[in-house]
Amino acid sequence: MTQIVSFVLNGAPVQVPADPHQRLIDLLRGPLHQTGTKEGCGQGECGACTVIIDGRPVNACLYPAPEADGTTITTIEGLGGDNTELSTIQRAFVECGGIQCGYCTPGMILSTKALLDRRPDPTEAEIRQGLAGNLCRCTGYVQIIESVKWAAERLRDKS
Amino acid sequence: MTPEAYYKPRTLEEAFALKADHPEAFFIAGGTDLMVLMRAGICRPSALISLRHIEPLHQLTVGATTHIGAMTRVAELLEHPEIEERYPLLTAAARRLGSPQVRSVATVGGNLANASPCADTAVALLALGARIRLASPDGEREIPLDQFFVGPKTTCLFSQELVTEIILDEDARGTHGVFIKKGRVKMDIAQASLALWARVKDGQCEQIRLAAGSVGPVPLRLPEVERVLLNHPLDDDRISQASTAAEQTVQPITDIRATADYRRQLIGVFVRRALRQICTESR
Ligand SMILES: Cc1cc2nc3c(=O)[nH]c(=O)nc-3n(C[C@H](O)[C@H](O)[C@H](O)COP(=O)(O)OP(=O)(O)OC[C@H]3O[C@@H](n4cnc5c(N)ncnc54)[C@H](O)[C@@H]3O)c2cc1C
Ligand code: FES
Ligand code: FES
């Protein structure tokens, strides 16, 4: 029994058919062609699929597609805005060496955004807590934590 | 079999009617347990009946008695200042459940109904002496949480029955609560966990409840340990006796996360640490 789900994706309304067994990540990477969101483990462990739903970080691999209806969702594609410039958090990962192969990066960045939206001035412990659901096999976490601090500082200066 | 339909009832009555029509369907809350099991082919529901859109299941009121709707998400519990003020033990357990992403959707009702021996909120709620309210087409009933878990991954829920809320009768301000959990890494389910709640007067526990996770077929109350401690001076000797009693009471198994022996030792150490902490706090 397919149903049509409507939600706001990166600021624009979308409508897409969802099957009962599908997950949000299937809609994003499938009919919506938003392949920035990655699938790693498919079971909530790695965070590569992290998106922000109604202000909270969520694993798109565990989120039933039919429940996307009526929500507001941000993926990595929604971060840069209209122009081709990188957002502050994206730039931070580039500047601080928080990115190598890049597979974990969209998830890391969305978790960082969810954290900084709530806590603009996090302690290192809070940063570690905020990223506890994201695994990286390349960079080492030191650079990633540096990236979050860098982004937090710049975002605070801006506001 | 993959689910053929995904239903979003708005009332309990509608949910029960759907379950009656589709006996092989599963209720789904946050889905953080169920989606994983479905994907692994371990659960094969004929349809899914979502509990997300049933308003009364989301209610959370803190007062002389506290009511926590089954659909309260772990993140919401964590962010609730009055819950933290009155039941810091519960907040501490919620903080250690999964990752931020999991806590954004995982519900307290799902954590209980899933009946895993490691369930973090279950261990805390057992120590807090919680009751739970269940509803079915035949009516409602309330039971102490320690009667809810009956065996590995099984509860006393009937097929059409739901957990609707968790009830805490006592305002835990002025009491002591400790939650200790050890995982292989920070974000992992427990190799062992312990929750302790106590009311201490003149160096003695007037009231005490202990519960442990991942050391038995279900989240366990530890009445043998409680008996050792109740109304006795909390001295080093008593603490040692309690720790030994805990090691003897638990029934851990060996699996990929830890050996039975290691789990037994952890519980002994946790009991000692938790009791030392309340000694210090109550001095
Ligand atoms: C990566 C990851 C890490 C995790 N880490 C932890 C951890 O550290 N500690 C921990 O305790 N758990 C952990 N979990 C397990 C899980 O997140 C929790 O058990 C969660 O609370 C389950 O809630 P849910 O709403 O997602 O349940 P669901 O998956 O929706 O449901 C679980 C089961 O309960 C039933 N159910 C749900 N609600 C009700 C209700 N109101 N009445 C009757 N039946 C109901 C469903 O039918 C289903 O069988 C983890 C899971 C993942 C994926
Ligand atoms: S793909 Fe979703 S958490 Fe790994
Ligand atoms: S950069 Fe390769 S997994 Fe993180």
Side-chain angles (χ1 to χ4, degrees):
Chain A
M1 203 177 73
T2 305
Q3 44 192 294
I4 304 291
V5 296
S6 313
F7 55 99
V8 177
L9 178 61
N10 299 325
V14 295
Q15 282 202 334
V16 60
D19 285 333
H21 70 274
Q22 280 187 307
R23 311 157 303 163
L24 174 61
I25 195 164
D26 300 322
L27 302 187
L28 293 174
R29 294 185 55 86
L32 293 165
H33 305 297
Q34 303 292 300
T35 53
T37 304
K38 305 301 178 206
E39 178 163 6
C41 64
Q43 41 187 322
E45 300 282 349
C46 75
C49 64
T50 305
V51 299
I52 297 179
I53 306 184
D54 296 334
R56 292 182 190 276
V58 166
N59 296 311
C61 73
L62 294 183
Y63 199 83
E67 298 290 3
D69 195 59
T71 63
T72 298
I73 301 181
T74 304
T75 67
I76 191 70
E77 287 89 348
L79 256 65
D82 295 335
N83 51 34
T84 51
E85 268 173 41
L86 294 179
S87 65
T88 306
I89 301 175
Q90 288 167 306
R91 257 186 47 230
F93 276 71
V94 176
E95 295 291 332
C96 302
I99 174 168
Q100 278 188 25
C101 82
Y103 201 83
C104 71
T105 312
M108 288 286 178
I109 287 176
L110 271 293
S111 282
T112 303
K113 178 168 166 48
L115 172 69
L116 298 184
D117 284 349
R118 273 167 195 266
R119 277 219 157 257
D121 193 5
T123 63
E124 173 151 345
E126 285 168 337
I127 296 175
R128 287 173 181 272
Q129 279 270 331
L131 297 182
N134 293 78
L135 300 180
C136 175
R137 298 286 77 176
C138 303
T139 61
Y141 295 98
V142 173
Q143 293 94 313
I144 291 178
I145 288 161
E146 287 307 316
S147 310
V148 179
K149 289 183 186 162
W150 194 98
E153 244 169 67
R154 302 273 173 319
L155 288 170
R156 280 201 307 275
D157 287 350
K158 263 195 208 166
S159 62
Chain B
M1 181 163 57
T2 51
E4 279 165 17
Y6 193 103
Y7 297 106
K8 298 177 185 171
R10 302 215 159 250
T11 63
L12 282 175
E13 292 68 34
E14 265 181 77
F16 295 142
L18 284 162
K19 180 71 176 157
D21 287 347
H22 307 274
E24 305 294 313
F26 269 54
F27 293 119
I28 183 166
T32 59
D33 278 311
L34 195 51
M35 295 292 279
V36 176
L37 295 176
M38 279 166 44
R39 197 138 180 94
I42 297 166
C43 273
R44 297 167 185 279
S46 65
L48 293 168
I49 304 169
S50 170
L51 303 178
R52 271 181 221 233
H53 310 273
I54 304 175
E55 201 41 52
L57 298 182
H58 290 271
Q59 277 165 18
L60 174 54
T61 52
V62 181
T65 50
T66 288
H67 299 260
I68 302 171
M71 286 301 292
T72 303
R73 295 175 292 170
V74 176
E76 291 171 317
L77 202 59
L78 261 181
E79 289 160 9
H80 202 292
E82 284 171 283
I83 293 278
E84 167 134 47
E85 193 200 339
R86 287 178 196 233
Y87 315 102
L89 167 56
L90 183 56
T91 308
R95 193 171 285 128
R96 290 298 308 275
L97 190 153
S99 61
Q101 295 94 318
V102 168
R103 294 193 289 270
S104 293
V105 286
T107 65
V108 183
N111 197 223
L112 300 181
N114 193 52
S116 164
C118 72
D120 289 321
T121 68
V123 174
L125 289 167
L126 280 172
L128 286 169
R131 291 181 293 136
I132 52 173
R133 196 172 177 84
L134 313 177
S136 75
D138 300 329
E140 294 191 287
R141 58 181 176 136
E142 277 178 19
I143 57 166
L145 183 58
D146 52 14
Q147 291 172 18
F148 181 62
F149 306 109
V150 296
K153 297 238 135 196
T154 17
T155 66
C156 67
L157 283 174
F158 299 119
S159 125
Q160 287 186 37
E161 202 167 32
L162 284 173
V163 180
T164 55
E165 65 177 14
I166 295 99
I167 305 164
L168 293 165
D169 294 303
E170 248 161 319
D171 179 342
R173 280 179 294 194
T175 64
H176 299 273
V178 186
F179 180 80
I180 307 176
K181 167 176 170 178
K182 169 94 176 67
R184 288 165 314 166
V185 290
K186 186 91 181 183
M187 189 203 108
D188 194 12
I189 61 172
Q191 293 171 310
S193 62
L194 180 85
L196 178 153
W197 173 85
R199 195 180 288 282
V200 183
K201 204 176 161 205
D202 303 332
Q204 300 193 6
C205 296
E206 285 188 320
Q207 268 181 301
I208 182 159
R209 281 189 292 265
L210 286 105
S214 297
V215 288
V218 297
L220 295 177
R221 264 291 284 280
L222 305 175
E224 293 81 352
V225 187
E226 295 166 9
R227 272 198 294 278
V228 170
L229 293 162
L230 193 64
N231 297 325
H232 286 285
L234 258 185
D235 53 26
D236 284 352
D237 186 42
R238 213 23 82 171
I239 293 177
S240 287
Q241 282 182 41
S243 165
T244 308
E247 286 176 12
Q248 287 165 351
T249 311
V250 296
Q251 312 142 34
I253 56 162
T254 296
D255 67 14
I256 53 162
R257 282 193 168 77
T259 62
D261 255 2
Y262 181 54
R263 293 192 148 108
R264 204 181 284 285
Q265 285 182 31
L266 282 177
I267 285 299
V269 172
F270 290 176
V271 166
R272 217 179 276 271
R273 270 190 209 159
L275 290 170
R276 293 237 167 88
Q277 183 176 328
I278 64 170
C279 281
T280 315
E281 284 173 2
S282 60
R283 225 168 254 150

